[in-house]
Amino acid sequence: MQALYKDLVKHFGGQKLTAIALGVSQANISGYVSGRWNMSELIAMRAEKATDGKFKASDLCPSLKEFQKLTA
């Protein structure tokens, strides 16, 4: 999961720019990248939209992946 968050940060060009794009603090982005916490459903959906689908919300947020399994 951390590698995916790092790729997301690379996509935007840094933690601060990622934070701005997703409407969160840079501290939140740092927490994702370091593995302190996972991305929420809302932020994961923002990331998918902000990257035009390059990063899927269900890949960024474990609970969305679980939800997909239950509804499939």
Side-chain angles (χ1 to χ4, degrees), residues 43-72:
I43 304 306
M45 288 186 281
R46 285 182 190 168
E48 183 172 332
K49 184 175 181 182
T51 63
D52 293 322
K54 180 176 180 181
F55 292 86
K56 301 295 182 200
S58 59
D59 293 333
L60 294 166
C61 178
S63 63
L64 285 174
K65 192 166 285 247
E66 287 300 314
F67 180 75
Q68 281 187 329
K69 288 179 189 177
L70 293 172
T71 59

Side-chain angles (χ1 to χ4, degrees), residues 11-63:
H11 174 83
F12 285 109
Q15 288 190 12
K16 186 172 182 171
L17 293 173
T18 305
I20 292 167
L22 302 183
V24 299
S25 70
Q26 183 274 325
N28 278 77
I29 303 301
S30 177
Y32 305 145
V33 170
S34 69
R36 287 193 303 267
W37 51 75
N38 288 320
M39 196 173 276
S40 72
E41 294 88 349
L42 176 62
I43 304 306
M45 288 186 281
R46 285 182 190 168
E48 183 172 332
K49 184 175 181 182
T51 63
D52 293 322
K54 180 176 180 181
F55 292 86
K56 301 295 182 200
S58 59
D59 293 333
L60 294 166
C61 178
S63 63

